[in-house]
Amino acid sequence: GLEAHAALGSAVEELARYGASVDLLVIGARGYGRIGRLLHPSTSERLALTTTCPLLVVPRTLAASPVAADLSTSPAIRASDARIAAEER
């Protein structure tokens, strides 16, 4: 089944640690592009080098699809999105 997980700390370190206990780690990509990655290093690229489990990176364009919209109905996903939005303010 699908499970949301939230943690405090370095995204790469926390996701790699969590990835050790799951069959597949799914994360989103913001899609900053080459210049944006100079300012904001890619978490997904760094995670691909450190995690021991299979990693699925979902591009931002796919995250806006109807399939992804069905996932957003999960209370855990909505709570996680709200926390991230609050941190970005």
Side-chain angles (χ1 to χ4, degrees), residues 35-76:
I35 294 175
R37 280 194 301 265
L38 292 173
L39 301 172
H40 303 281
S42 171
T43 299
S44 56
E45 288 176 2
R46 292 185 301 164
L47 191 57
L49 297 172
T50 59
T51 190
T52 57
C53 72
L55 175 66
L56 174 63
V57 180
V58 179
R60 175 175 258 171
T61 54
L62 183 59
S65 75
V67 172
D70 286 342
L71 296 176
S72 68
T73 60
S74 161

Side-chain angles (χ1 to χ4, degrees), residues 16-44:
R17 183 177 301 120
Y18 184 69
S21 65
V22 298
D23 295 326
L24 174 66
L25 191 57
V26 180
I27 64 169
R30 293 183 184 226
Y32 286 131
R34 290 181 184 185
I35 294 175
R37 280 194 301 265
L38 292 173
L39 301 172
H40 303 281
S42 171
T43 299
S44 56

